[in-house]
Amino acid sequence: MKRILIIDEMHSSISDRLTAIGYASDYLPQITRQEIIEAEDHYVGMIVRSKTAIDAELLSSKPNLKFIARAGAGIDQVDMAYLDANQIQLVNAPEGNRDALGEHVIGMLLSLSNNLRKSDREVRSYVWDREGNRGFELSGKTIGLLGYGYMASAVAEKLSGFGCRVIAHDKYKTNFGDLYVEEVTMDDIYSQADVFSIHVPLTADTRMLVDAAYLARFDKNIVFVNAARGEIVNTTDLLAALKSGKVTHAALDVLENEKFAKLSSEQKATYDELFQLDNVLFSPHVGGWTFESYENINRVLVQKITALDV
């Protein structure tokens, strides 16, 4: 029976699902990078999340690999050039957590627009400040999306009942306008967006894309949302935009450096300031991380593995 190595935590249904399509699996979520490299080369596939870089060093230790299955959407830690050069197939599962991500973005926007975190904290401290917690409505606003893949389309669908206009620009797609979104140019987003939400992968083109100059191009003061990858945004420049009022509110599910124990002194100083702001809402990269998506990702991955030529 063909074998698959699973190196990250997965929903408990994964092994049974793989067995049902003819694969044996070694479920080793505690395995270290060095142990992966040293493991016997008898796997046709590997299921990964984001524990370690799936790079040439690791991949070259397993010349029998036929595919990598990424449990989630992002593939920025996968050496695509090596996969292409060695005919190793890649599957991922953005369909499995798109609804979770869409709901999370809406939840963050509603919390920010209604001052829910601040007002909850104040009421618990016996402060009853109605005027200080007056919110704003999404209805009538223009929501600009950068990128229009599975995640952005889920956000657009979830916004459809809020009475707002949703526009999107995708550098790599055309003719994607649908019931939920209007396809526009980036200049249209700069001139029209009240809310700007990022939904692009981390690549050489998008790393540090959003900096001071980028934010300055928006005609309006904007609400900023990032539930994609933290490294797309220059955090120091975002903090400056929040201080100036160019960004009125920010919802951040991801950060430029999410390894808090490894922050530089400059990053720590920036985070210390950012974390004091009531108009910024944070979550720990859990936008697509629900109980339902945890299992849905297994279902999607196994469907795609079934269709591979292995």
Side-chain angles (χ1 to χ4, degrees), residues 214-242:
Y214 191 98
L215 292 169
R217 294 188 66 179
F218 285 87
D219 288 353
K220 302 178 186 179
N221 296 337
I222 59 169
V223 177
F224 180 78
V225 182
N226 187 9
R229 285 292 184 269
E231 299 94 325
I232 295 170
V233 180
N234 183 307
T235 312
T236 301
D237 289 356
L238 175 60
L239 176 61
L242 283 157

Side-chain angles (χ1 to χ4, degrees), residues 94-111:
E95 304 95 327
N97 61 355
R98 66 182 297 274
D99 286 325
L101 187 283
E103 290 185 13
H104 193 86
V105 168
I106 303 305
M108 295 190 88
L109 279 173
L110 291 175
S111 180

Side-chain angles (χ1 to χ4, degrees), residues 43-57:
Y43 298 105
V44 297
M46 189 182 301
I47 296 179
V48 308
R49 285 193 186 274
S50 54
K51 169 190 287 185
T52 189
I54 308 302
D55 55 18
E57 179 192 31

Side-chain angles (χ1 to χ4, degrees), residues 191-210:
S191 64
Q192 299 172 32
D194 299 293
V195 177
F196 179 60
S197 188
I198 296 175
H199 299 282
V200 293
L202 178 64
T203 66
D205 288 339
T206 63
R207 187 178 295 275
M208 294 292 109
L209 172 69
V210 180

Side-chain angles (χ1 to χ4, degrees), residues 5 7 28-41 43 46 51-52 58 61-62:
L5 175 62
I7 68 168
L28 301 173
Q30 305 306 318
I31 193 170
T32 67
R33 177 181 175 85
Q34 191 57 39
E35 287 170 341
I36 296 168
I37 291 171
E38 294 174 357
E40 289 188 55
D41 180 31
Y43 298 105
M46 189 182 301
K51 169 190 287 185
T52 189
L58 186 147
S61 72
K62 301 288 175 290

Side-chain angles (χ1 to χ4, degrees), residues 18-267:
L18 290 171
T19 299
I21 63 169
Y23 288 89
S25 59
D26 289 343
Y27 182 63
L28 301 173
Q30 305 306 318
I31 193 170
T32 67
R33 177 181 175 85
Q34 191 57 39
E35 287 170 341
I36 296 168
I37 291 171
E38 294 174 357
E40 289 188 55
D41 180 31
H42 56 201
Y43 298 105
V44 297
M46 189 182 301
I47 296 179
V48 308
R49 285 193 186 274
S50 54
K51 169 190 287 185
T52 189
I54 308 302
D55 55 18
E57 179 192 31
L58 186 147
L59 291 166
S60 63
S61 72
K62 301 288 175 290
N64 285 317
L65 273 180
K66 304 300 182 186
F67 68 87
I68 297 292
R70 167 67 166 95
I75 56 172
D76 44 278
Q77 289 211 86
V78 180
D79 188 335
M80 293 303 300
Y82 187 96
L83 264 58
D84 291 342
N86 291 275
Q87 291 79 53
I88 300 173
Q89 301 170 86
L90 174 73
V91 295
N92 64 343
E95 304 95 327
N97 61 355
R98 66 182 297 274
D99 286 325
L101 187 283
E103 290 185 13
H104 193 86
V105 168
I106 303 305
M108 295 190 88
L109 279 173
L110 291 175
S111 180
L112 277 176
S113 63
N114 292 283
N115 295 306
L116 295 182
R117 182 174 60 93
K118 175 176 175 288
S119 60
D120 175 79
R121 185 177 65 246
E122 290 176 352
V123 171
R124 291 172 188 270
S125 299
Y126 294 91
V127 175
W128 195 263
D129 180 12
R130 295 184 70 219
E131 184 56 35
N133 287 294
R134 188 188 292 270
F136 64 88
E137 299 175 13
L138 295 181
S139 179
K141 301 293 190 297
T142 296
I143 317 296
L145 307 178
L146 180 63
Y148 200 67
Y150 285 104
M151 305 306 167
S153 63
V155 171
E157 289 172 20
K158 310 302 181 193
L159 284 169
S160 63
F162 283 86
C164 49
R165 177 182 176 225
V166 184
I167 60 177
H169 173 71
D170 193 311
K171 181 178 179 180
Y172 302 102
K173 282 186 178 180
T174 57
N175 300 316
F176 58 78
D178 56 29
L179 180 64
Y180 307 109
V181 71
E182 298 174 43
E183 180 183 351
V184 299
T185 67
M186 195 62 214
D187 284 339
D188 291 328
I189 289 184
Y190 286 137
S191 64
Q192 299 172 32
D194 299 293
V195 177
F196 179 60
S197 188
I198 296 175
H199 299 282
V200 293
L202 178 64
T203 66
D205 288 339
T206 63
R207 187 178 295 275
M208 294 292 109
L209 172 69
V210 180
D211 58 10
Y214 191 98
L215 292 169
R217 294 188 66 179
F218 285 87
D219 288 353
K220 302 178 186 179
N221 296 337
I222 59 169
V223 177
F224 180 78
V225 182
N226 187 9
R229 285 292 184 269
E231 299 94 325
I232 295 170
V233 180
N234 183 307
T235 312
T236 301
D237 289 356
L238 175 60
L239 176 61
L242 283 157
K243 288 179 175 179
S244 73
K246 186 64 191 178
V247 173
T248 63
H249 301 75
L252 305 175
D253 181 49
V254 292
L255 290 172
E256 184 179 341
N257 185 351
E258 296 174 0
K259 294 180 171 58
F260 287 169
K262 297 182 178 180
L263 294 176
S264 69
S265 58
E266 292 81 8
Q267 288 173 329

